[in-house]
Amino acid sequence: MPKKNCEISSKVDYSLLVKKQIIEFLEGLKGKDYTVKELNRSMKKLFKMGKMVVPVCLSKLKESDEELAPIICYALEYANDYALVSPLMDILIMPGVSDKVKTRILSVLAHYGVDATELPLEYILKDYNRITRVSMMEMLEDINRDYFLIPYILEDLQDFPLESKLNYIYDIGCYRMEKSIPLLEVLAKVDETPVAEEAVKAISKTKTGKALFVLNRLLSQVKDEKVKKIIEREILRLKFSGICESTFERPFKIQQPYKILLTAIDGLGSRALWMVWKHPLLKRKYCSVSFLINISSGIKDCWSVSRLSLKEFKESSKDLSRTTVIAEIDGNYAIKLLEDAIWQNNKSGNPLPYQYYFWQGVIEDSLSTEIAPTPYIPGFNEYDLSEIKLNHNYLIKNFELLNYPLFEDWFFSEPRVYDFAEEYKSKKGFFLKKLTLEKTEKLFFQFTEEIILPRLDILKRMLELSADFLRLLDEKELVKVVLSAILHLDMQPIYYHPLIQRIIIESLKVALTNLKNGFDIRLNPEVFD
C-alpha cells in the first residue's frame, strides 16, 4: 500500500480572541472612579495586549457607546500617537455617532493639537447649542460634586485664546447658576484683566445673595483697580435690585496639609514645592498641587491631582527622591517660599498660572493665613560668617560642590558654551585639550564675562536658597561651604573662585559629551528645552 503523504499546515487566527479580550477589558473599566495613576496602570495593561488595541478602540468608538466613550478616549490619548488624528476626524463626521461621543473625540483631538474652535462644529454636531449647554451643565455638576476638579478646568481654559476665554465665561454667566460661582470666583482673581472683569459680570448675573457675598469678598482681595471698579459697580447693581447678602462658603473644611515636600534647586534655578492634603470629600483619598518655582521668575507652572491614594503618594515621593534631593517642610516655610515666588512673578511681569488662584484659597484656609507677595531673604545668624570667609579650607571645598547630588546639574547649557567647547576641544577626541596657563585664563575670562557675570546675582540667590535648604537637612558643614562660596563672590577676578572654575569646566565637559553624541544645542535647541 502506497504511503500517504499529507502535509498539514494549521495556523490559528487568534485575532478574534484578542479582540474579545480587549473589549472585555474596556467594558470592565466602565462606571468606576479611578485616580489618574490607577487609570494609567489599567492603560499600561491594556496596551500590553498588542497592536490591536487602537483599532479595536476606534471600532468601538464608531458604535457610539456613550458610557464606554470616556474610557476609549482616555486610551487614545494615552496612546500618544499623532497618526490617530485622521481616523478620529473621520469618526467625528459620521452621522451615526452621537454628539456626546463626538465631544469626547474633540477632547482627544485637542490633546493632539487640533483647535476645536477652527472646526465647523455647527455641522459636525447635530444640535450644537444643546450639546454646548449639556456639556456646561455637566461641568458645573462635576465641580459641585468634587471641588478639586476646578484646577483641571482652569488649566485648559488658560490655553484658550483671549476671545474664547471671554466667550466661555460669558456663556457660563448666561445660565445664571449659583453652581458656577466657585469657578467664577477664582477666575475673577487672575492676572488677565479682561478675564477677571468678565468673571465678575458672570457672578453678578446669578442675582443672588451668595453672588453679592462673593463680590464683597473679592473687593477686599483683588488688587487690579479696573477689576475693583467693575466689582463695585456690580455690587451696587445687585443692591439696587433688592438683593440681600447671604453667606457663601465651601461646604467642607480643609485640614492642614498632610505633607509638604520641597526639592533642591536645579541648575536652571528651579525647584518644586509639593503640597498634599487629605481629600475633604473622598475617604482614603488625597489631593495635591505641585508648584514649579524659579528663583527669578517666580511660579512658572503648577500641576494638580484631585484624587490620589496614600500608596500612590508614597510611590510618587519615592520616585521623586530618586531624581533629586527632597526635604519635608512645614507650612510656615512653604508660605515664605510662595510669597517670595509671587513677589518674583510681580517683579518679572510673569503672570501666575490660573490654577494658583484656586490653590491660594485652599492653602490660606488650611494654614489660617494670607499669602502676600514678600521677598524672602534667609538669615544665617547661627553661623560666624567672618570666620567662614577666613577659613581657606571651605573655599577650596567650593570646587567639590558639584560632586554632591544637590549641585550635580549646576552647569550652563546654551549655544555660546558649545562655541567655547568646540574651540577648546582636543584634536584627539571630545575632551578639553591641554592648555597653557595663559590660554586657560583667557578661556575662564571670556566664559565668565559672557555667561557668568550676567547671571551672578541669580547664582548668588541659588546659593543662598541652597544653603537654606541644606540647613533643613541639618548639613551644617556643607552649609558652611556654600556660605563660603557666597562670601567669596566678590573675588577679583571672579574666575579665580573655585566654584566658578568648576562650573565652567563642567559646562564645557557636558557640551563636549553632547557633541560627541550628536546633540548640538546650536542646531536643535528644542531638544534641550
Side-chain angles (χ1 to χ4, degrees), residues 97 211 237 266 269 409 426:
V97 178
R237 183 174 290 175
D266 65 18
D409 61 353
S426 170

Side-chain angles (χ1 to χ4, degrees), residues 196-295:
E197 289 176 339
E198 194 63 47
V200 170
K201 294 173 191 174
I203 292 170
S204 180
K205 283 179 185 176
T206 62
K207 293 187 176 180
T208 63
K210 292 178 180 179
L212 182 57
F213 178 87
V214 167
L215 289 174
N216 277 314
R217 182 161 62 192
L218 284 168
L219 192 60
S220 64
Q221 296 172 338
V222 171
K223 306 301 179 188
D224 189 315
E225 288 302 321
K226 288 184 179 179
V227 179
K228 288 188 90 160
K229 285 180 180 178
I230 301 290
I231 295 172
E232 288 170 347
R233 186 190 72 192
E234 296 303 324
I235 287 173
L236 287 174
R237 183 174 290 175
L238 290 177
K239 285 181 176 178
F240 288 155
S241 299
I243 304 295
C244 296
E245 185 177 302
S246 59
T247 305
F248 185 74
E249 301 288 356
R250 297 191 195 98
F252 59 84
K253 183 167 177 60
I254 188 88
Q255 297 177 4
Q256 287 197 357
Y258 171 72
K259 290 279 184 183
I260 308 176
L261 300 178
L262 179 69
T263 70
I265 295 172
D266 65 18
L268 297 174
S270 296
R271 69 193 332 180
L273 175 64
W274 187 15
M275 305 184 74
V276 183
W277 293 263
K278 287 185 177 179
H279 201 297
L281 301 172
L282 303 173
K283 290 183 179 179
R284 296 186 295 279
K285 296 294 180 189
Y286 296 75
C287 51
S288 75
V289 61
S290 297
F291 297 102
L292 178 63
I293 300 174
N294 183 269
I295 62 162

Side-chain angles (χ1 to χ4, degrees), residues 62 72 181 192 201 342 357 521:
K62 295 173 187 176
I72 291 174
I181 291 178
E192 275 186 288
K201 294 173 191 174
I342 300 159
Y357 295 96
I521 197 171

Side-chain angles (χ1 to χ4, degrees), residues 61-64 66 91-103 105-106 120-133:
L61 209 51
K62 295 173 187 176
E63 295 176 12
S64 199
E66 293 182 355
I91 298 172
L92 197 62
I93 60 175
M94 289 181 178
V97 178
S98 72
D99 282 354
K100 194 168 184 179
V101 172
K102 285 181 178 181
T103 56
I105 294 172
L106 287 170
L121 297 180
E122 62 274 19
Y123 300 109
I124 291 171
L125 302 171
K126 298 183 186 74
D127 191 341
Y128 174 70
N129 291 329
R130 178 184 169 278
I131 200 65
T132 302
R133 186 172 63 254

Side-chain angles (χ1 to χ4, degrees), residues 185-202:
E185 184 179 7
V186 177
L187 289 169
K189 299 176 186 177
V190 303
D191 282 344
E192 275 186 288
T193 301
V195 171
E197 289 176 339
E198 194 63 47
V200 170
K201 294 173 191 174

Side-chain angles (χ1 to χ4, degrees), residues 318-325 408:
K318 192 173 181 180
D319 290 342
L320 184 63
S321 67
R322 291 193 186 102
T323 58
T324 186
V325 182
E408 63 185 3

Side-chain angles (χ1 to χ4, degrees), residues 397-419:
K397 288 179 180 178
N398 282 187
F399 192 83
E400 301 170 6
L401 276 176
L402 270 64
N403 295 343
Y404 293 91
L406 199 75
F407 304 98
E408 63 185 3
D409 61 353
W410 281 38
F411 54 82
F412 293 102
S413 185
E414 58 183 76
R416 190 68 183 107
V417 175
Y418 283 67
D419 292 339

